[in-house]
Amino acid sequence: MKKIVALFLALALMLGMTSAFAEGLKVGSFDVAGAGNVELGFGWWGNQVRDAATHDALAYFTENFPNVTFNENSQNWANYWALMTTYASDNSLPDLMQQDYAYLEQWVEAGDLLDLTPYIESGALDVSGISENILNTAKVGDGIYAICAGVNAPAMLYNKTLTDELGIEVPSNLTWEKFVEISKEIKEKKGYGVVFGQGNSENSITYFARGLGHQALFEKEGTTLTAEEAAGYYKTMLDGVAEGWMFNTDEIANVNVQDIAQSPMVFGATPDVRTWCSIAFSNQLAAFQAAATADGIELGICSWPSDDPVKSNYMKPGQFFSVTTDSKNPDLAVAVLNYLINDPQANVLLRAERGVPANSEVAAAIAEEVNKIDPTYGVAVDYLAIVQENSSPIFPPLPSYVGTVNADVLQKLSDEALLKTPAYTAEELGAMFVEETNSIAEDY
Amino acid sequence: MTTRSLDRRESGFTRWINKESTAGVIFSLPFIIGFLMFLLIPMVLSLYYSFCKYDIQNPPTWIGLDNYIKIFTKDKTFTKALGVTVYFALIGTPLKVIFALIVALILNHESRAVGFYRATYYLPSIIGGSVAVAILWRRMFESNGTINAILGQLFPGMQSYNWFAEGPAIWVLIILTVWQFGSSMLIFLSSLKQIPMELYEAASIDGANGFKRFWTVTLPLLTPTIFFNLVQQTINSFLAFTQSKLITNGGPRDSTLFYTVYQYNKAFPALGKSQMGYASALAWIMLIIVSAVTLLLFKSRSKWVYDA
């Protein structure tokens, strides 16, 4: 009897090994084939291109390990966090979830993410190809709670077909002054406008603050900006609307800025409801270009406008993959994570849509293949090389009160600043920003 | 007599299961469980949370009346959202009821096509609060949507009218709710059928013309139905959610922010911590407001409703 068991075990081991070796998927040291039939949950926010790419990468895993299937949960950015918070409340988060640099810390603090350090030490998770700097961006306290899924940078995407037609050269490091000049010229000659600063995001004002020399906009106790400095930010918007090249609050309500396929840069009947550029991130170039091609538009890429683009711009460990503490199969989830980070074929399928892979060997290995699928990849890589030379260190992960500031303060103030007939002056708006942000930080 | 009592003693379970009240309890269990799980317990919990600071991820902490005090003294968005909702209910509900009545009167004829028309007009109500209609509505009113295309043909210059600007945006939502008049219309139709023909005949003999007959016969006899529709639709208007959340997301500048959407945003914000306690307090305030409005409507009943 013992013999039979031993034989059986040996057989099982061999089978497991053959499948792992024959297919050669990089899943780390865990025996995936022997894990039994498991369905893993995987949640991410995305767009059409990303959803397809992620599905392909996961399907390829299932092809090699038919015992592992995935429950894919793809949402848009806004719904994603609301949904995941709800899952977190009754401990039903998916096994793997996409994370964002800015929000990582609060998820760790809430105890929802698994510390990956033991897996890195045991070799189950191979991070040898990832630089220490990038790895440490997901370090909270002594633990590493996520692995970077791709590196990207803030990037303004613009309608290059249009600027070429007008003979306008857009520099890679765009100053605010130059941006205003180009925008005015385009508005005058072609009618295209600009959507700037709207909505519930801290990105634009953070970029502005960094241009003034603040590495971070938010600290534990509140904002680093003074009321006068914040007034400068709101003045750019008041001026933009007054001069007519920036969309006002009412006009923005009439276009869909949330959905890439319907973004006014790539969609819209007449120039007066369209924009010549979009404030985005470098990894979004692929999705935007996919939507723009239908309209015969070629997109260009440059930095977001700032008085000092070198101080403002930063390399961002774009998105992260985390294993959640709700996972019932953490070892298997880590193996999938290892696959997503280190496997060349997985990264070809993922098309570097989340940014250039953090694993430099993988990034080099897939360049040619990805370029074939997605010609914008090379453009994004070139842009990142420029940013690498012309940027400053990124801000630390955001304090947890920032989400509330986004919804309750930034959204409201930008709506006011972009009004056609504004009710407040830049000074009033700046003072409101500082006062309300600090009071939210204090209450939290 | 003896045998029967012996039978009863035989098995306590058989006796119990054969009792009429047991069957009653078992058959009503689905409702009782549903009522407890989805209504009573959540309500009691939300009442408790409304006195707490609660972010879903961490256990609630008791803060007494703080949420309510903050809502009434500091929260400008609360006032704004309540104003928008009252405006929507005050304009939208009567319009919808009047519209339903007019269509019901038109369809209150015997003809072969009437069944088809009734079904057609009822259709928008079936797909009523659905997500698909909200998205369709947004597309129709967008700058390059159907509505502007038609308007552009009729009135040159209107093709780029901005429906989602601060003024007209709320009207886009009101038009949607008025368009969904079907259920009120059906109720009107059935009570129109119940008005005795003799009354019309008597009125005709007395020399009443079409409008006079409507004014003195139809309308008074319909007042109980109007009352019912008004109460029901008012409550619906106060609790409307999908339109505002999906078509305008409350914007621009909160000009279409329905109370329920504000409450939802507090409970499930796109980013940042949930303020479930605060949202629960908002919900209870809404419950009181809706109850008060309904009570007012019932108080007014004796003034204008004709009870035969």
Side-chain angles (χ1 to χ4, degrees):
Chain A
M1 186 63 194
K2 252 185 184 171
K3 261 187 191 167
I4 297 174
V5 171
L7 192 73
F8 182 71
L9 278 177
L11 254 172
L13 194 69
M14 265 171 65
L15 271 177
M17 277 170 72
T18 41
S19 62
F21 278 105
E23 313 301 345
L25 287 200
K26 300 210 165 156
V27 293
S29 57
F30 182 68
D31 174 21
V32 177
N37 289 328
V38 179
E39 188 188 62
L40 286 182
F42 191 172
W44 73 90
W45 71 88
N47 53 56
Q48 279 177 8
V49 176
R50 182 178 306 161
D51 295 351
T54 312
H55 171 79
D56 290 348
L58 296 178
Y60 185 67
F61 191 90
T62 303
E63 224 173 86
N64 285 282
F65 298 106
N67 58 322
V68 181
T69 52
F70 293 93
N71 178 5
E72 298 169 22
N73 191 339
S74 147
Q75 303 289 329
N76 69 31
W77 165 263
N79 292 348
Y80 179 77
W81 295 107
L83 188 68
M84 290 298 145
T85 309
T86 319
Y87 284 152
S89 68
D90 67 343
N91 300 324
S92 60
L93 280 169
D95 299 88
L96 288 143
M97 75 181 283
Q98 189 169 313
Q99 270 292 347
D100 183 77
Y101 176 73
Y103 298 99
L104 187 65
E105 196 166 308
Q106 63 198 72
W107 281 80
V108 174
E109 276 170 11
D112 291 317
L113 304 183
L114 194 69
D115 182 7
L116 299 170
T117 333
Y119 294 93
I120 294 172
E121 282 163 5
S122 77
L125 186 59
D126 177 15
V127 294
S128 57
I130 302 175
S131 81
E132 193 86 347
N133 272 342
I134 295 285
L135 200 60
N136 282 341
T137 50
K139 196 165 188 168
V140 180
D142 288 329
I144 289 176
Y145 291 89
I147 302 290
C148 177
V151 180
N152 57 46
M156 190 174 90
L157 310 177
Y158 62 90
N159 185 337
K160 194 161 182 306
T161 312
L162 183 72
T163 52
D164 283 354
E165 190 189 324
L166 292 171
I168 296 171
E169 181 84 30
V170 184
S172 294
N173 284 317
L174 187 61
T175 60
W176 185 265
E177 205 179 324
K178 181 80 183 164
F179 174 63
V180 174
E181 186 193 313
I182 296 173
S183 299
K184 278 183 184 163
E185 187 182 342
I186 292 177
K187 182 77 202 176
E188 197 180 302
K189 291 186 178 157
K190 290 285 180 182
Y192 291 71
V194 169
V195 171
F196 181 86
Q198 95 298 349
N200 58 356
S201 160
E202 79 292 351
N203 283 331
S204 304
I205 188 169
T206 303
Y207 203 79
F208 174 86
R210 285 169 59 84
L212 298 177
H214 303 282
Q215 190 198 357
L217 171 63
F218 297 106
E219 284 173 348
K220 273 243 142 22
E221 298 78 31
T223 175
T224 55
L225 285 184
T226 65
E228 291 78 45
E229 287 171 328
Y233 174 71
Y234 288 109
K235 188 168 185 313
T236 61
M237 294 159 78
L238 289 167
D239 288 351
V241 171
E243 287 159 10
W245 52 272
M246 215 183 258
F247 274 21
N248 66 43
T249 304
D250 281 342
E251 288 164 338
I252 291 169
N254 202 21
V255 296
N256 195 337
V257 277
Q258 300 221 321
D259 186 353
I260 287 182
Q262 288 182 50
S263 141
M265 182 171 67
V266 296
F267 179 86
T270 46
D272 62 333
V273 294
R274 297 192 64 162
T275 60
W276 73 273
C277 60
S278 243
I279 301 292
F281 282 87
S282 59
N283 63 311
Q284 290 175 314
L285 179 60
F288 268 104
Q289 183 62 63
T293 308
D295 225 12
I297 297 172
E298 191 202 338
L299 298 180
I301 187 167
C302 67
S303 76
W304 292 356
S306 161
D307 285 339
D308 189 340
V310 179
K311 274 190 198 159
S312 284
N313 217 348
Y314 51 90
M315 296 289 280
K316 184 182 180 187
Q319 295 150 21
F320 292 86
F321 294 132
S322 289
V323 178
T324 65
T325 46
D326 297 348
S327 174
K328 295 194 173 60
N329 300 286
D331 296 342
L332 181 60
V334 168
V336 174
L337 178 61
N338 194 66
Y339 159 80
L340 292 171
I341 302 297
N342 295 320
D343 192 83
Q345 184 57 26
N347 280 281
V348 168
L349 292 170
L350 287 171
R351 301 184 216 174
E353 195 279 333
R354 287 182 173 82
V356 177
N359 183 331
S360 45
E361 294 154 33
V362 172
I366 66 165
E368 201 180 325
E369 278 299 310
V370 172
N371 246 331
K372 270 188 227 158
I373 311 171
D374 171 20
T376 65
Y377 181 60
V379 180
V381 171
D382 290 347
Y383 173 69
L384 282 185
I386 296 171
V387 175
Q388 181 87 53
E389 299 302 312
N390 296 283
S391 59
S392 308
I394 191 171
F395 44 86
L398 302 179
S400 44
Y401 67 82
V402 173
T404 310
V405 172
N406 282 348
D408 292 1
V409 183
L410 285 173
Q411 165 92 58
K412 185 182 74 183
L413 295 184
S414 67
D415 280 354
E416 293 294 341
L418 291 171
L419 269 191
K420 201 170 176 186
T421 40
Y424 298 101
T425 64
E427 286 69 29
E428 286 166 334
L429 292 167
M432 279 152 83
F433 169 73
V434 173
E435 187 188 324
E436 291 178 25
T437 301
N438 291 347
S439 111
I440 287 175
E442 196 181 321
D443 279 357
Y444 230 67
Chain B
M1 190 66 195
T2 343
T3 23
R4 269 182 71 189
S5 57
L6 268 176
D7 277 350
R8 275 189 196 168
R9 240 174 277 131
E10 246 173 16
S11 153
F13 179 74
T14 320
R15 238 174 67 200
W16 176 78
I17 199 83
N18 284 335
K19 265 210 276 181
E20 230 170 83
S21 63
T22 312
V25 167
I26 288 176
F27 278 112
S28 51
L29 258 187
F31 168 76
I32 293 172
I33 291 173
F35 176 74
L36 286 177
M37 282 183 49
F38 299 112
L39 207 68
L40 195 63
I41 295 175
M43 271 185 84
V44 172
L45 274 178
S46 90
L47 184 59
Y48 168 66
Y49 290 152
S50 75
F51 297 105
C52 293
K53 188 173 178 171
Y54 180 42
D55 65 6
I56 306 187
Q57 303 224 29
N58 301 300
T61 46
W62 184 266
I63 51 168
L65 282 170
D66 279 11
N67 283 333
Y68 290 94
I69 292 168
K70 196 172 164 197
I71 289 171
F72 285 118
T73 57
K74 275 189 183 167
D75 192 344
K76 282 181 195 142
T77 319
F78 161 76
T79 328
K80 176 93 191 180
L82 190 61
V84 169
T85 311
V86 168
Y87 183 84
F88 175 77
L90 226 54
I91 308 268
T93 315
L95 274 183
K96 186 177 189 168
V97 172
I98 291 169
F99 206 64
L101 179 58
I102 292 173
V103 178
L105 286 171
I106 295 171
L107 292 183
N108 190 28
H109 294 285
E110 287 313 321
S111 114
R112 231 177 289 166
V114 140
F116 169 75
Y117 281 117
R118 279 177 202 160
T120 314
Y121 284 114
Y122 187 56
L123 213 56
S125 303
I126 301 176
I127 45 178
S130 83
V131 173
V133 168
I135 290 170
L136 174 81
W137 213 252
R138 183 177 169 99
R139 283 292 179 84
M140 277 172 52
F141 283 89
E142 250 168 18
S143 59
N144 48 359
T146 325
I147 300 288
N148 277 358
I150 296 169
L151 281 179
Q153 292 292 323
L154 298 175
F155 314 98
M158 281 291 276
Q159 69 270 22
S160 55
Y161 185 75
N162 184 353
W163 288 96
F164 294 109
E166 205 171 322
I170 186 77
W171 282 93
V172 172
L173 305 185
I174 291 177
I175 295 169
L176 174 57
T177 186
V178 172
W179 178 62
Q180 296 170 329
F181 58 80
S183 66
S184 302
M185 177 196 75
L186 277 194
I187 297 167
F188 275 132
L189 265 177
S190 66
S191 37
L192 277 172
K193 295 253 177 293
Q194 283 168 13
I195 298 176
M197 282 315 283
E198 299 88 66
L199 292 179
Y200 288 113
E201 279 161 19
S204 297
I205 291 165
D206 289 345
N209 59 13
F211 177 76
K212 188 90 185 169
R213 271 187 310 228
F214 168 77
W215 194 251
T216 52
V217 179
T218 318
L219 206 57
L221 288 174
L222 273 185
T223 44
T225 319
I226 295 175
F227 175 75
F228 172 78
N229 278 330
L230 206 58
V231 170
Q232 211 196 16
Q233 296 303 338
T234 306
I235 295 174
N236 278 349
S237 299
F238 271 102
L239 303 182
F241 174 81
T242 331
Q243 305 96 309
S244 166
K245 178 73 188 163
L246 288 173
I247 299 175
T248 58
N249 199 11
R253 288 212 309 156
D254 297 342
S255 63
T256 58
L257 184 71
F258 286 3
Y259 193 90
T260 48
V261 176
Y262 177 52
Q263 191 183 313
Y264 175 88
N265 289 344
K266 283 284 170 197
F268 307 104
L271 294 165
K273 265 187 200 167
S274 158
Q275 301 179 46
M276 191 52 95
Y278 198 80
S280 299
L282 286 171
W284 277 90
I285 293 170
M286 188 39 130
L287 181 76
I288 291 165
I289 292 173
V290 171
S291 312
V293 169
T294 314
L295 196 73
L296 268 179
L297 279 174
F298 269 92
K299 285 265 181 217
S300 78
R301 194 188 155 100
S302 58
K303 302 266 188 301
W304 60 279
V305 175
Y306 173 80
D307 286 306

